[in-house]
Amino acid sequence: MAQIAAVSIPGSSIPVIEFVSGIRKCHYQKNTCQLFSADGVGAGHATPLALLQGTANLVVDVTIPGDASTLLYEVNAFLSNENNTGGVAFTESTHVTAFSNDPDLLLKTSTGEMPILAPKVGGIEKPVPWAYNGTLVVQLISSASAGTLKTIEEEVHMPVEIYVLSAELPDLYLGPGVPLALLRLETLIPVWLQSQEVDWPTFVTRALFNDERLQYHVINGFSKYTTWETEGMGLNDAYQQNQGNIIIDCWLDLWLSDMNGLTARGDKTSQYSVDCYDIAAISQAIMFIGTDPAKLRLKYMQPFGYINAVKLIGVKEANPTYQLNNPNNLCNNPMFASMKYDPRVMCPPDTWNRSPFGNHMFLTYLKDPTNDPIVLDAEPPPADRNLQQYCADSIDTSGEWGQEAGKAENAYDGPGLSTLATTALFAGQAMKRSGLLEALSLQLDGKGTLQEPYVGDRTWHRGITMTWTFTVRPQFWQIFTQDDLIMINIYSYSAGGITDLYVNEQWTLRKAAIAGFQADPTSIDADDNPMRGFSDDPTGCTYMFRIPEKGWLAVLTSEHCKSVTLAPVAALVQTTLNSLPPQPPLPQLTVTQTILGSDSDIEVGTEFKITVLATGGDGGQYWRGYKVDTKFGGVLLLDVEVDDDQNVEFTFIARKPGTETVGITLFDANADLVFKQQTVEVLNSNALESKNDQ
């Protein structure tokens, strides 16, 4: 009887990274991914698999008895999941042949590489990204001759979770990997594969604008999901001088954690604030998985000026009186929630305290190489428009406002994102020694709903960020009169031994950015400097304090309450931080490198280890988490282990030839960190077959 022997996807995959309670898991296939085999290998749970367009193929191996070789055989593959969007066909039906007259001979043959088909919507093929989730059915069908009755010889079923991404996926994703949470996010690829839209960047722009979980930061435009380094220069100067040393981090994992946290909590009303930097960075990161990055440019514009009546992401006129005059929720006063500006979303153009945009960040996209790039901003336009048209539509040049209006030539060009801020925790380390994460979670437990905290590190060891999303409930904390979403952000600046300098520098920057900031007169230090302060706005508030000697800065924000209500929460956080016992002294670290297997050099496809040896620690109760940075994605982190002596072993695979620099950050239970750097020389090889690894 003819039989399906194996079903596989050849070639290496793109790394997909999954986080479960902060623990990192890397889904990666070095060579071939076996989906099914007759001996049971590959059956069962679907492993997430990401492929580049052009390398996404299916191979089916079959065995045919010799005396049946005169029959015609074909292989058919489809998804049985009725809810799979984009149709059910997985590959074209493919004939296989084998010739012999020996009935005792089992003939082995293969379909060859069958390209995975593009999903279709309304009969039109969708560009990448694609997703195939469900049960893949592969049939081996026989017939006596063409046009005669067909018989299903065998049918096998296997679960799959397969994503096909842009063939030009940038280095940005090759070192840290593509977040599985991004591929699974319900508002993106699943909706894309049902949409009539055929342009991925345009779709992403509309999807983010229509996401009711997001709202433009209408107080001071402070960034949450973006950080940047310009080596002491302002962004405007750095962009004007076309500096190549601009580092722009996108905190994509934090944004995904926030979005999925709302879903997990069943919260359908709370919103997370974003500014233009955040939206531009998040948009570009998402667009990269389905678009040639060379077609996307990040623009920085200063001055920008007062804006015409436009729609801003998530912004609505909440005051019923104002709503009567602004039923379409248009906005020409973007910082309306700041106490220093007019409180109306839409106010008369000549209002004396109307707010402008001092600067602005947005994307341009070369949608059609025969035309100018179009602008993609937080507001989806009714039609494609170039930079000049965008400025004319968006910037108010009337009357006295025109004196401060930016022009197209004020928009400076840059490539955009440099890295993704990605950090992970060690499994089981919290049980060995508790610290800041555990202490604060314990204090907040029972007073509301606390989301799993997010821990992140800026690129190349610039400080640990810890974020708690806390929904406080009046029945547990009686100073509150309604449910309130409180964001608790604690920043640890412990690198380089100049802790207080980093903290005080960040305090000054953030204090200047928070409109209406007031120092708490009860918190003045010996040098007459405030250690705490707050700012109330029409709907919520911000509270900030610093502990320079420990390297900590904390910022709390509330959606609904004022500072007098938030102050006890801030006090609890500050008391918790001050009461934490010091961690043991940081150990001395040395780095070693070991090649796995018989290779004498690291070539593309070689696995190797970088081990960080700790001396002077206290025997097994130290590291809480880690971060790995690479310069150009030449190596991929596969696994990490920490032993009882706090030596940490990182296992990598080389993916691209060249000189790679690997930066390793380790941090303890109180977020104090150390940093090590290692250079890796990768030689060329054909060990990996993916186009991206050539």
Side-chain angles (χ1 to χ4, degrees):
M1 178 180 175
Q3 184 182 29
I4 297 172
V7 180
S8 61
I9 292 180
S12 64
S13 65
I14 298 303
V16 174
I17 306 303
E18 181 178 10
F19 289 94
V20 179
S21 297
I23 310 302
R24 177 186 184 272
K25 182 177 182 180
C26 179
H27 300 284
Y28 175 72
Q29 295 292 329
K30 179 178 178 180
N31 292 308
T32 295
C33 178
Q34 188 95 327
L35 300 179
F36 168 84
S37 69
D39 59 7
V41 176
H45 178 68
T47 298
L49 186 68
L51 307 166
L52 295 179
Q53 188 178 22
T55 68
N57 302 304
L58 188 73
V59 173
V60 180
D61 297 320
V62 300
T63 56
I64 302 172
D67 60 351
S69 62
T70 57
L71 296 176
L72 297 178
Y73 290 92
E74 63 181 283
V75 170
N76 190 28
F78 61 93
L79 285 175
S80 67
N81 183 358
E82 294 179 358
N83 295 322
N84 184 72
T85 54
V88 296
F90 193 69
T91 64
E92 298 282 1
S93 180
T94 304
H95 287 88
V96 293
T97 56
F99 300 99
S100 173
N101 293 318
D102 185 351
D104 297 322
L105 180 64
L106 283 178
L107 302 175
K108 295 183 179 180
T109 187
S110 170
T111 60
E113 295 189 5
M114 302 183 292
I116 295 174
L117 295 177
K120 292 182 179 180
V121 176
I124 300 175
E125 290 189 356
K126 295 286 291 188
V128 291
W130 307 334
Y132 290 95
N133 299 309
T135 300
L136 177 62
V137 179
V138 178
Q139 297 174 329
L140 179 60
I141 301 171
S142 67
S143 59
S145 60
T148 61
L149 182 66
K150 295 183 177 182
T151 301
I152 298 177
E153 298 281 343
E154 187 180 19
E155 179 179 283
V156 296
H157 296 233
M158 63 216 73
V160 294
E161 183 177 357
I162 298 172
Y163 303 93
V164 181
L165 310 179
S166 168
E168 291 83 17
L169 194 71
D171 292 344
L172 180 83
Y173 281 118
L174 298 182
V178 181
L180 182 59
L182 172 63
L183 301 176
R184 288 178 173 175
L185 195 65
E186 71 277 5
T187 56
L188 291 176
I189 296 180
V191 178
W192 161 249
L193 292 178
Q194 299 178 58
S195 167
Q196 297 288 336
E197 177 63 65
V198 294
D199 184 73
W200 175 245
T202 302
F203 170 83
V204 171
T205 303
R206 297 185 189 282
L208 291 177
F209 179 81
N210 292 319
D211 195 327
E212 295 183 351
R213 300 171 295 185
L214 301 176
Q215 182 189 46
Y216 192 83
H217 201 303
V218 293
I219 302 173
N220 50 43
F222 202 82
S223 303
K224 178 180 180 181
Y225 302 110
T226 316
T227 50
W228 55 87
E229 293 292 333
T230 56
E231 296 190 357
M233 303 175 69
L235 269 179
N236 192 49
D237 290 338
Y239 266 81
Q240 281 193 49
Q241 298 179 28
N242 197 24
Q243 295 294 308
N245 55 355
I246 301 175
I247 297 176
I248 300 179
D249 293 325
C250 178
W251 292 69
L252 185 62
D253 286 338
L254 173 57
W255 178 72
L256 292 168
S257 173
D258 286 345
M259 297 301 98
N260 287 324
L262 288 172
T263 302
R265 298 194 305 273
D267 187 342
K268 297 182 179 180
T269 59
S270 297
Q271 294 178 303
Y272 284 91
S273 294
V274 290
D275 67 0
C276 62
Y277 302 99
D278 293 330
I279 285 296
I282 292 169
S283 297
Q284 192 176 33
I286 297 171
M287 291 173 190
F288 278 162
I289 69 173
T291 310
D292 182 353
K295 296 181 179 181
L296 295 168
R297 304 293 293 182
L298 198 64
K299 298 284 187 178
Y300 180 84
M301 187 170 176
Q302 182 176 332
F304 194 83
Y306 291 84
I307 63 174
N308 288 322
V310 299
K311 284 185 175 293
L312 285 185
I313 184 169
V315 171
K316 296 180 180 179
E317 199 83 74
N319 185 298
T321 302
Y322 301 156
Q323 176 68 39
L324 291 175
N325 297 318
N326 187 19
N328 295 321
N329 292 304
L330 297 176
C331 178
N332 68 350
N333 180 34
M335 305 301 170
F336 64 90
S338 172
M339 300 294 283
K340 62 190 286 190
Y341 294 119
D342 190 279
R344 291 168 290 186
V345 173
M346 180 75 177
C347 60
D350 58 353
T351 302
W352 70 272
N353 59 342
R354 176 182 164 206
S355 60
F357 278 144
N359 57 69
H360 194 45
M361 186 171 278
F362 53 90
L363 292 169
T364 59
Y365 166 47
L366 189 61
K367 184 176 183 179
D368 180 354
T370 65
N371 291 317
D372 291 338
I374 65 171
V375 172
L376 298 177
D377 199 2
E379 180 205 8
D384 295 345
R385 54 188 176 178
N386 62 25
L387 182 57
Q388 287 73 23
Q389 294 166 333
Y390 166 78
C391 290
D393 290 346
S394 304
I395 301 174
D396 186 351
T397 59
S398 63
E400 62 180 289
W401 309 125
Q403 300 175 18
E404 302 181 39
K407 300 177 177 61
E409 55 264 31
N410 299 127
Y412 297 102
D413 182 70
L417 295 185
S418 310
T419 58
L420 301 177
T422 302
T423 305
L425 302 178
F426 288 117
Q429 289 293 93
M431 304 301 294
K432 295 182 178 181
R433 174 181 290 130
S434 64
L436 192 157
L437 289 173
E438 293 74 30
L440 190 54
S441 297
L442 182 64
Q443 289 297 322
L444 296 174
D445 185 41
K447 297 179 175 65
T449 302
L450 186 66
Q451 183 179 320
E452 187 81 26
Y454 171 84
V455 181
D457 176 29
R458 297 176 68 178
T459 300
W460 302 103
H461 72 290
R462 290 189 176 90
I464 300 294
T465 297
M466 293 153 285
T467 298
W468 287 259
T469 299
F470 180 53
T471 306
V472 65
R473 305 201 185 283
Q475 60 265 41
F476 300 126
W477 208 324
Q478 295 181 1
I479 57 174
F480 290 86
T481 59
Q482 61 177 317
D483 287 1
D484 195 7
L485 183 71
I486 297 174
M487 302 300 302
I488 304 172
N489 297 286
I490 298 176
Y491 306 93
S492 173
Y493 302 99
S494 62
I498 47 177
T499 294
D500 57 345
L501 176 62
Y502 284 139
V503 173
N504 294 332
E505 178 185 78
Q506 288 296 314
W507 167 273
T508 301
L509 290 173
R510 291 176 181 273
K511 183 176 68 171
I514 299 174
F517 185 83
Q518 303 177 53
D520 183 344
T522 67
S523 68
I524 306 300
D525 69 3
D527 297 322
D528 204 31
N529 296 313
M531 295 290 106
R532 294 191 302 271
F534 59 88
S535 173
D536 287 311
D537 60 72
T539 57
C541 68
T542 300
Y543 202 102
M544 183 169 69
F545 67 83
R546 54 178 166 166
I547 310 177
E549 65 276 13
K550 292 191 175 184
W552 290 331
L553 175 72
V555 180
L556 289 77
T557 59
S558 164
E559 276 198 336
H560 303 298
C561 75
K562 300 300 182 183
S563 57
V564 66
T565 304
L566 187 59
V569 182
L572 175 64
V573 174
Q574 188 167 5
T575 300
T576 302
L577 296 184
N578 280 322
S579 63
L580 285 173
Q583 296 291 309
L586 291 168
Q588 299 296 313
L589 301 181
T590 56
V591 179
T592 64
Q593 184 172 297
T594 307
I595 298 175
L596 303 182
S598 59
D599 294 338
S600 57
D601 297 303
I602 296 177
E603 299 180 345
V604 173
T606 299
E607 293 188 22
F608 64 97
K609 292 182 183 292
I610 294 178
T611 303
V612 181
L613 301 171
T615 57
D618 65 343
Q621 299 179 354
Y622 207 84
W623 303 123
R624 188 70 176 86
Y626 64 94
K627 184 177 191 296
V628 172
D629 292 303
T630 61
K631 287 292 187 182
F632 68 98
V635 301
L636 168 68
L637 176 64
L638 295 177
D639 196 15
V640 59
E641 294 182 358
V642 56
D643 66 20
D644 288 340
D645 294 322
Q646 294 302 282
N647 303 311
V648 187
E649 190 174 74
F650 297 88
T651 302
F652 294 87
I653 185 170
R655 290 176 51 83
K656 296 199 305 183
T659 301
E660 178 62 278
T661 302
V662 179
I664 295 175
T665 300
L666 296 170
F667 58 90
D668 70 6
N670 281 354
D672 291 334
L673 63 84
V674 292
F675 175 80
K676 282 293 180 180
Q677 195 165 290
Q678 179 78 0
T679 299
V680 179
E681 294 289 344
V682 180
L683 304 180
N684 206 349
S685 170
N686 294 321
L688 297 184
E689 302 171 21
S690 169
K691 174 183 175 181
N692 204 63
D693 303 317
Q694 302 282 317

